[in-house]
Amino acid sequence: MSGRDPARYGWWLASRASGVVALALVTLSVAAGLAMAGRVSRRPGVARRLRGAHEHLALVGLAMIGVHGLTLLGDHWLHPGLRGIAIPLWMNYRPAATGAGILAGYVAAALGLSFYARRRLGARRWRRVHRLTIAVYALAVVHALGAGTDAATLRAPVLATTVPIGLLFARRLTRGRRRAPAASRPAVPVGEGAR
């Protein structure tokens, strides 16, 4: 874009910026969620602060996903139309990568907003479904690396996030296997646990 009027590319710039911010927020939210699930810290208050950060990052991330999609509507080169930003694989431009982004947005919205219905769903069922959040992150990475016209500039920073997310995810998986469910643990009579 050097030597060209940036105002002509305002919608593209706004969409690109909001997409990058959305990816950063989703990544941080997923990292906070995995850190909570993997019980990375046993310090008092850390879980409460992580929970608050996780929720806020997710909500602002959802808003930025919405901004990312809506600002694409003004892109004079892409011309996605409402169907292009709403229906996976509808857009002709890199359909698999753009479809992954649209799907990530829908799954993020469903899983993020399900937090407010967890009492109706039941805590156990909600937690089980909420584990799919890692798929949002994976789909967002595929979208960022495959759909952006300047994806090469994002490759290193985006791929760098896969290491901590991968480690936190592995910790979450191994932590879940080590802990036996409460129903299968043998009952210890009161007073005998200290011996």
Side-chain angles (χ1 to χ4, degrees), residues 64-139:
M64 292 310 294
I65 290 168
V67 169
H68 176 57
L70 290 174
T71 53
L72 277 173
L73 290 174
D75 189 316
H76 298 293
W77 180 81
L78 192 61
H79 296 290
L82 283 175
R83 290 181 186 152
I85 65 165
I87 303 171
L89 307 175
W90 186 272
M91 198 182 316
N92 289 330
Y93 178 76
R94 301 181 183 175
T98 55
I102 294 167
L103 189 57
Y106 286 139
V107 176
L111 294 175
L113 298 175
S114 72
F115 173 78
Y116 302 102
R118 71 188 181 284
R119 287 197 177 118
R120 275 197 194 133
L121 297 170
R124 176 181 255 163
R125 182 180 299 141
W126 175 79
R127 258 188 247 102
R128 199 174 303 133
V129 169
H130 199 71
R131 288 178 185 158
L132 295 173
T133 306
I134 192 72
V136 172
Y137 167 76
L139 288 166

Side-chain angles (χ1 to χ4, degrees), residues 19-42:
V20 169
V21 171
L23 178 61
L25 292 168
V26 165
T27 301
L28 291 171
S29 177
V30 169
L34 288 170
M36 284 187 306
R39 294 196 165 91
V40 171
S41 176
R42 294 178 188 255

Side-chain angles (χ1 to χ4, degrees), residues 170-188:
R171 179 177 171 92
R172 169 64 183 105
L173 290 176
T174 58
R175 176 134 179 93
R177 288 188 188 131
R178 272 188 269 146
R179 255 186 19 221
S184 65
R185 283 188 219 137
V188 177

